[in-house]
């Protein structure tokens, strides 16, 4: 929830990716909390892997958007 609120409340280029990252993380966390896939402990590892991939992509896209900003001065 913090990622979503922080990205929503401030303007940063590429913040849509950070909001997307927060939503994916929230959904995966709710799925674990609700014990949706009762298949075993491998689900937590898979969800953490998915979260790391989405978070990494979000940071790459945000850095690309910030890099395109004009230099100050």
């Amino acid at each position: 929830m913090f990622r979503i609120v922080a990205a929503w409340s401030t303007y940063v280029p590429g913040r849509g990716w950070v909001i997307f990252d927060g939503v994916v993380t929230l959904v995966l966390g709710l799925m674990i909390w609700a014990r949706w896939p009762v298949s075993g402990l491998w689900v937590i590892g898979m969800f953490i892997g998915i979260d790391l991939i989405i978070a990494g992509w979000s940071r790459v896209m945000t850095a690309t958007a910030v890099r395109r900003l004009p230099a100050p001065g």
Side-chain angles (χ1 to χ4, degrees):
M1 295 278 298
F2 178 75
R3 289 181 191 175
I4 298 169
V5 172
W8 193 269
S9 64
T10 61
Y11 178 76
V12 183
R15 74 177 178 170
W17 289 102
V18 179
I19 293 171
F20 176 70
D21 175 31
V23 169
V24 168
T25 303
L26 180 66
V27 168
L28 293 175
L30 290 174
M31 289 168 68
I32 291 173
W33 183 61
R35 300 180 193 162
W36 169 65
V38 198
S39 326
L41 294 176
W42 64 270
V43 174
I44 294 175
M46 183 180 69
F47 284 176
I48 289 173
I50 291 170
D51 179 51
L52 288 173
I53 290 170
I54 297 294
W57 185 252
S58 166
R59 285 171 177 84
V60 166
M61 296 309 290
T62 302
T64 303
V66 168
R67 190 173 181 185
R68 290 187 200 145
L69 289 176

